Amino acid sequence: MSTLTTVLIVVAVIVVLLITAGALYARRTSGHGGGRRALRRRFGPEYERALARHDGDAKAADRELHERVKRHGDLKPQPLAPGVREHYDAEWTAVQERFVDSPARAVADADQLLGRLAADRGFPAAGRYEEQLAALSVHHPHHVEGYREVHRAARTESGVSTEGLREAMVDARALFEDLVADRAVDHGRHRPGRPGRGHALHPRGSGA
């Protein structure tokens, strides 16, 4: 066997090994939600938020979201007993009614209600907000921003406009409906401003 033939065989073997290793890596990362395309499909708008948070660094956003899937992807949400579900429905209706006279208080109550409801569904406890939010983003990526908004509004010292509070409540309602549902949720039917449970969230004197 000539030296040239030997070199060609060695090069061919190396190429095959590199292709095999690349395929195995791609399959492993895709299976754990690590492929960029898979992450975009899974997280939707939450992927874009992570990308913005990392100033457009896609690799950093991928690492963050992959870590979320690794930590919380296997979480199995627990069902709510019918009586508990009805109790949460009544609580949400009361919060929306309260918004008419006291928007800030209603948003703070909505923040606490969502935290308790998520914990009852098996997500991390409300006292571990960042971890709870991360877990929710894996399982409810299209609506977790509503929780983020009411949490931020409830803790803003300088005050948020009444319209800002109303929008936070409307967006949060979609996550509430996801969490309180006892069936698979069609994410496409939820849109901010969609008519939903309870009142239309117009404070007294708003002219609406």
Side-chain angles (χ1 to χ4, degrees):
M1 184 180 296
S2 68
T3 301
L4 178 60
T5 302
T6 302
V7 169
L8 291 175
I9 291 174
V10 170
V11 169
V13 170
I14 292 173
V15 169
V16 170
L17 289 174
L18 288 174
I19 292 174
T20 302
L24 289 173
Y25 176 78
R27 183 182 305 174
R28 183 172 67 251
T29 55
S30 176
H32 288 81
R36 183 164 300 159
R37 188 172 299 177
L39 287 171
R40 282 185 180 274
R41 282 198 307 268
R42 177 166 195 159
F43 282 95
E46 190 67 11
Y47 185 93
E48 300 306 320
R49 294 185 192 102
L51 193 62
R53 189 162 50 253
H54 290 283
D55 298 321
D57 186 340
K59 289 184 178 179
D62 291 353
R63 283 195 298 270
E64 178 188 330
L65 296 178
H66 177 65
E67 183 60 28
R68 289 193 209 175
V69 174
K70 183 179 178 181
R71 291 201 319 269
H72 305 295
D74 292 334
L75 186 150
K76 302 296 183 186
Q78 301 301 308
L80 295 174
V84 174
R85 190 161 53 246
E86 291 168 6
H87 176 74
Y88 274 117
D89 269 327
E91 274 200 83
W92 187 263
T93 298
V95 167
Q96 292 194 140
E97 291 172 349
R98 198 171 300 130
F99 188 91
V100 175
D101 292 311
S102 183
R105 180 188 169 197
V107 167
D109 289 345
D111 176 39
Q112 294 180 13
L113 190 157
L114 285 171
R116 287 189 286 109
L117 174 56
D120 279 352
R121 289 301 311 272
F123 291 92
R128 295 147 60 196
Y129 168 73
E130 293 296 339
E131 186 177 357
Q132 187 185 70
L133 189 73
L136 286 167
S137 75
V138 173
H139 296 271
H140 300 278
H142 292 272
H143 296 149
V144 72
E145 181 66 7
Y147 184 22
R148 192 180 279 123
E149 288 178 6
V150 297
H151 189 79
R152 186 185 303 123
R155 284 155 177 76
T156 299
E157 294 285 336
S158 59
V160 181
S161 69
T162 299
E163 178 59 20
L165 294 174
R166 188 192 70 81
E167 289 177 357
M169 284 285 292
V170 170
D171 291 344
R173 184 174 62 214
L175 178 63
F176 172 81
E177 291 178 352
D178 271 14
L179 289 172
V180 84
D182 61 350
R183 51 177 170 67
V185 176
D186 176 7
H187 293 295
R189 69 185 179 87
H190 292 302
R191 294 290 183 272
R194 182 179 64 83
R197 304 168 188 266
H199 291 223
L201 298 178
H202 295 297
R204 294 191 193 279
S206 65

